[in-house]
Amino acid sequence: MSIAVTYDAILRQVVLARYYAANRRRLRDWLSGRAVDGAWFNINTGSTQLLAIQPPEQVCGRVPEVLALVRAYLPPEDPRRVAVERRFGTAHDLRPSDVAESDRHLLGAALQGAYLLQAVANGRVRRFRNGLLGTFLILTVLVGGFVAAGVHWPGAVPLCFPGGDGLMCPTGLHRSATGGDAPQVALLGLIGAALSAARALRVHQELPTRYSLAVPLVLLKVAMGPAIAVFGLVALGSGLLPGPSEVTSQPALLFGALLLGYGQQLLTGSLDQKADDLLKSASPVAPAPA
C-alpha cells in the first residue's frame, strides 16, 4: 500500500473518530458505548496504520508503547506477544537501523490484537456499569413505591415493635403505625449506605479505563441502603429472622435501621471486587492475566 493511500486512510479514521466523539452526549450512544468505542476504534486503527508510513526513528520510539500495550492485554502465550518480546525484548539500546520492514508488520499485528482485547475488556466494564445503573433504577422505584405505600397506608408496612404500653415505631411510641415510619427508616438507611459508600470510595482504586464504575457503584449502594433498612425491619418484625422481639427505645430502633443501611456493604462488597477485576482487565497499566 502506498504512502498516499495509507495517509488518506488515516485521515478517514480521524474524521470518523471526531464524528463518534461528537455524538457522545446522546443517551443511547452513551449506554451502548457506540460513541466512545467508535471513536477509540478509529483512533486505534489510525495509530496502527501509522506504523506503515512512519520513519524508522518514530517506529523505533513506538516500540516501548507497543510492548506495554501487548503485555497489558495479550496473554503471555499469545503468539503475537511472544514474537514481539522475542524480537525486541525490553527495547533497550534499540536503534532506528535495527527496525526492518517486517518489524512494522509484526508491531502492527501485535498492536491490533492488543487493541481488540482492550475493546473487549472495556465492553465488559460498560455492560457491568449498565447493569449497576439498571439495578439502581429498579431498586429506587421499588423502595419509592414501598415508602409511598407506608405513608398512605401505615399498616401495610409494619415497621413497629412491641414496646412499653404500645408500639415502638421509628417515629416514637404510638398505639399504631404512622405515615412517617417508612420515610424515617428509608432516610436512616440512606445515611448508613452513604457512610458505607464514602468508605468504599476511600479504599477504591480507580484505574485508567474508558468507563468509570465509581459513580454507578455509589448509586447502587445508596439505593440498597433504604431497601435493606426497610425490608430488614419488616423481616425482623415478622419473626422470620433472628432478632429482637421487643424494642423499648426509639434510638435503638433508629440505630438498627442505620446499621442495616450500612450493612448493605455485605451484599455489594462482591460487586466492588467484581468491578476491580473488570477495571484491571481493561486498564493498560495492569498486566494481562496469565
Side-chain angles (χ1 to χ4, degrees):
M1 184 181 294
S2 66
I3 293 179
V5 173
T6 304
Y7 183 76
D8 289 341
I10 294 173
L11 284 181
R12 284 196 296 271
Q13 304 298 335
V14 173
V15 171
L16 286 172
R18 294 183 63 183
Y19 165 77
Y20 281 110
N23 293 328
R24 68 187 185 277
R25 294 182 179 86
R26 296 194 299 191
L27 179 62
R28 182 180 62 183
D29 292 333
W30 180 77
L31 288 174
S32 66
R34 179 177 178 270
V36 174
D37 290 345
W40 275 110
F41 172 80
N42 287 280
I43 291 172
N44 293 339
T45 301
S47 176
T48 304
Q49 292 172 339
L50 271 175
L51 287 169
I53 62 174
Q54 285 180 306
E57 294 81 5
Q58 294 183 9
V59 175
C60 182
R62 292 191 62 185
V63 169
E65 169 200 352
V66 176
L67 280 172
L69 288 170
V70 162
R71 287 166 177 163
Y73 295 108
L74 296 182
E77 69 277 5
D78 189 283
R80 293 163 295 188
R81 174 172 173 174
V82 172
V84 169
E85 290 183 330
R86 182 185 298 124
R87 173 66 181 86
F88 297 102
T90 60
H92 288 163
D93 302 324
L94 185 65
R95 294 171 297 180
S97 58
D98 297 331
V99 180
E101 190 64 26
S102 60
D103 293 331
R104 296 176 182 268
H105 300 291
L106 175 62
L107 291 170
L111 188 60
Q112 186 177 25
Y115 283 146
L116 175 61
L117 292 185
Q118 180 190 45
V120 171
N122 277 281
R124 288 195 291 264
V125 175
R126 183 189 68 250
R127 289 190 292 272
F128 187 71
R129 178 205 65 183
N130 291 347
L132 293 176
L133 292 176
T135 305
F136 160 73
L137 291 175
I138 293 173
L139 276 176
T140 300
V141 172
L142 290 177
V143 174
F146 206 74
V147 171
V151 171
H152 293 284
W153 303 286
V157 185
L159 297 173
C160 301
F161 291 79
D165 297 329
L167 293 177
M168 183 55 65
C169 301
T171 54
L173 185 63
H174 303 287
R175 293 188 177 276
S176 61
T178 67
D181 294 335
Q184 183 107 334
V185 171
L187 177 61
L188 287 168
L190 179 64
I191 294 173
L195 293 174
S196 173
R199 178 184 177 278
L201 281 178
R202 183 177 62 85
V203 300
H204 180 69
Q205 180 185 7
E206 190 73 12
L207 296 171
T209 56
R210 298 178 189 176
Y211 304 99
S212 173
L213 297 178
V215 173
L217 282 171
V218 169
L219 290 176
L220 182 60
K221 292 176 187 292
V222 168
M224 285 285 289
I228 296 297
V230 172
F231 296 125
L233 286 184
V234 171
L236 288 174
S238 67
L240 296 177
L241 295 179
S245 59
E246 183 175 347
V247 178
T248 59
S249 170
Q250 181 192 16
L253 181 56
L254 297 180
F255 185 66
L258 184 69
L259 285 181
L260 285 171
Y262 188 90
Q264 52 74 38
Q265 182 62 31
L266 296 176
L267 297 177
T268 58
S270 60
L271 295 178
D272 292 336
Q273 184 59 51
K274 176 67 173 179
D276 288 339
D277 293 341
L278 289 174
L279 290 173
K280 288 178 181 177
S281 69
S283 173
V285 301

